[in-house]
Amino acid sequence: MLLRTAVLKQSKQDDVSLVFRRGRRPTVKTGDTLRPVVGILRLTPVDEVSGSSISADDVPHAEYETPQALRASVANRDGRLYRINVSYAGADPRLTLLEDDAPSEDDLTDGLTTLQLIDTRSRPGLWTKIRLELIARHPRQPAKTLAAALDCEKDCLKPQIRKLKNLGLTVRHERGYSLSPRGQLVLARLASSSD
């Protein structure tokens, strides 16, 4: 579920706690969390509603000033209408990992163990080191360019890079990716262990 930056910031400050979206089916469910740039947002609950159920009570919690403006914002879209409660659930733990340029020996060992588990359980097999090496060699290159270098589909590569980002190993930029300090240390360990 995409939310505008202004809404994300207002959600963090508790100025917006309701979002209305239309769709053929809900793209989120009660209890889901989102990790946009502002931190973690929790979605509780997600309910299907009718447009006529939007009331003046909803307005102070949504991003609109009147029920009419809120109804108008979803009137021209197809699908069912969903009322989603949004609450700020804290800072994104990935940021802490990204900012830690001196992880402990235990942290590095845990990171290497996690990568080994990912590789072991993955259909494509051993890919984590290959992706880290590729990003190190081609910093700030978009997924399309990286995928071409690997002769694979961009749609297969992006979820893999996202997994590495969730471990605090890669950084996504406006254009492309780079290794975080933690990612550089982990790659150095991987390289030394394979020598």
Side-chain angles (χ1 to χ4, degrees), residues 113-187:
T113 301
T114 301
L115 291 180
Q116 187 177 22
L117 285 171
I118 290 171
D119 282 341
T120 302
R121 296 173 179 169
S122 173
R123 273 192 197 152
L126 308 177
W127 62 263
T128 57
K129 180 183 174 196
I130 294 166
R131 286 0 175 220
L132 290 170
E133 288 173 334
L134 181 69
I135 293 168
R137 284 195 314 271
H138 304 284
R140 295 187 179 254
Q141 292 301 308
K144 181 178 180 181
T145 303
L146 298 174
L150 290 170
D151 194 28
C152 73
E153 293 293 324
K154 180 179 78 170
D155 291 343
C156 293
L157 178 64
K158 286 180 83 171
Q160 293 175 338
I161 295 175
R162 197 173 304 119
K163 282 184 183 178
L164 298 174
K165 179 185 173 191
N166 289 341
L167 297 172
L169 303 178
T170 63
V171 180
R172 184 175 185 271
H173 301 283
E174 192 172 319
R175 184 175 191 272
Y177 308 88
S178 65
L179 294 186
S180 68
R182 177 183 294 263
Q184 293 169 14
L185 290 170
V186 166
L187 180 57

